[in-house]
Amino acid sequence: MPQTQHAERHFRASQAVRDIVIGMADGLTVPFALAAGLSGAVVSSHIITTAGLAEIAAGSIAMGLGGYLAARGDAEHYDRELQREQQEVQTVPDEEAAEIVEVFKAYGISPEQCAPVVAALCKDRDSWVRFMMRFELGLEQPEPRRATQSAVTIACAYIAGGLIPIAPYFIVSGVTEALPYSIAVTLSALAVFGYVKGGYTGTAPLRSAIQTLLIGGTAAAAAFILARAIS
Amino acid sequence: MPQTQHAERHFRASQAVRDIVIGMADGLTVPFALAAGLSGAVVSSHIITTAGLAEIAAGSIAMGLGGYLAARGDAEHYDRELQREQQEVQTVPDEEAAEIVEVFKAYGISPEQCAPVVAALCKDRDSWVRFMMRFELGLEQPEPRRATQSAVTIACAYIAGGLIPIAPYFIVSGVTEALPYSIAVTLSALAVFGYVKGGYTGTAPLRSAIQTLLIGGTAAAAAFILARAIS
């Protein structure tokens, strides 16, 4: 079944890319915006690096564990629906057979045309249930190690992204002096990240770079203006 | 086609719930952990509320726009694959017909048994393409307004969640005095959120409440310890 394998490989790759994108997009943006926002309100680099590292720790753990639970939730949802389908195939086989006919009807296929397929599925319960899971409910079986992989990928991407905007506050002395460097390295990193991301997700790289820059810039500007306004 | 409608309604509801969960889980956790972490390092409530609000602004915008781009990316991915399938159905119809047979083969259905279905699909290009999109590639047509809805839902959930842990630092004077209140209201909110979330996602509510509490607690503890260590 080369098609199914192809589709699943595709699905898997885009999941990993998506996890990196989720983690790094927020990792680059939120600590940067927080540091920029705070630099409008406080004068000590130490407070900014402390807040920045605290944010990276909190953000990476919260997002990583959030990703873990989301993937676990998907897996549990799949298992519950699987059990329900297995039960229905046993207890109300006629209704389930009628549901196969309904699935095909949506594609202009008559009950007569799909009768041999229905008959074949009804003879093999395992295939029947798999068919219903994918074609009636649109659910794919999640990979067993998906949740852990997702958590680690998101958290690492967040940390990698988050250290970039904070680094200048460690290196350059003085908040006002460090801020332009933080802006420069972060915007550069956002542009590179957006460009590379575009290559993976299929969006035109340049457009992806500009989109990503705009997100980071908007989030940072909003945080900066808010922090200035209340300080 | 009641089944298809059912499946899509299900899909849509879980997307909205997922967006709220994504936004609120991080909104409750990250600003809380940041404030708790900073309260181990700084003594001014004003800096903590400034950092907290800056984080909420940055986080809600970054996550909301991130959700917007993710949904847009899904829609663009769908459109690209749709165009490819439409082209393939026109240019290499025999290969595409063979791919339908392959899809069925994975469910133990012989080429003879699915022949009438293949013949019916080959006569109706529109249904054929829709069939390949869903059954070969496992892709569902995204809703047109999904990206905007997703962005607004995530951002609002983040703001609603984020204001809870920061509120005590506005009301109670003194960082050390406000911290226990922030911990109390946030852990309560996490538990309620986890409990309600469990009802929507199908996880046992009590287990969901404990999981959510653990995430918030772990993220906050890590941020707190880190901020103390470097201050």
Side-chain angles (χ1 to χ4, degrees), chain A residues 121-139:
Chain A
L121 284 176
C122 290
K123 269 187 214 138
D124 177 359
R125 257 183 208 166
D126 178 51
S127 294
W128 192 0
V129 169
R130 281 194 298 119
F131 183 91
M132 299 310 279
M133 288 302 287
R134 174 131 187 199
F135 294 168
E136 188 204 355
L137 300 175
L139 295 175

Side-chain angles (χ1 to χ4, degrees), chain A residues 55 76 80 106 201 207, chain B residues 55 76 80 130 201 207:
Chain A
E55 210 288 331
E76 284 170 14
R80 269 194 310 278
T201 57
R207 196 180 132 211
Chain B
E55 211 288 332
E76 285 170 12
R80 271 195 311 278
R130 281 194 299 118
T201 57
R207 196 179 131 210

Side-chain angles (χ1 to χ4, degrees), chain B residues 101-165:
Chain B
V101 176
E102 285 294 327
V103 167
F104 283 113
K105 202 173 155 189
Y107 297 89
I109 295 160
S110 70
E112 293 73 32
Q113 285 165 331
C114 66
V117 171
V118 176
L121 285 175
C122 291
K123 271 188 211 139
D124 177 0
R125 258 185 206 163
D126 178 52
S127 293
W128 192 359
V129 168
R130 281 194 299 118
F131 183 91
M132 299 310 278
M133 289 302 287
R134 174 131 188 200
F135 294 170
E136 188 205 355
L137 300 175
L139 295 175
E140 306 229 17
Q141 183 161 24
E143 286 182 79
R145 293 174 56 210
R146 173 95 203 90
T148 313
Q149 282 170 357
S150 189
V152 173
T153 310
I154 293 175
C156 289
Y158 195 97
I159 293 168
L163 289 176
I164 293 171

Side-chain angles (χ1 to χ4, degrees), chain A residues 32-44 48 169 175-176 179 220-221 223-231, chain B residues 46-47 50-51 54:
Chain A
F32 167 51
L34 175 66
L38 280 183
S39 73
V42 299
V43 285
S44 151
I48 289 177
Y169 295 95
V175 172
T176 326
L179 179 60
F224 186 78
I225 290 163
L226 193 79
R228 276 273 158 106
I230 60 177
S231 70
Chain B
H46 186 65
I47 287 173
T50 304

Side-chain angles (χ1 to χ4, degrees), chain B residues 1-23:
Chain B
M1 38 176 180
Q3 272 68 31
T4 310
Q5 281 180 354
H6 164 79
E8 289 192 351
R9 190 161 54 232
H10 175 90
F11 182 69
R12 228 175 287 159
S14 74
Q15 282 284 13
V17 169
R18 211 182 158 137
D19 285 342
I20 293 174
V21 168
I22 288 172

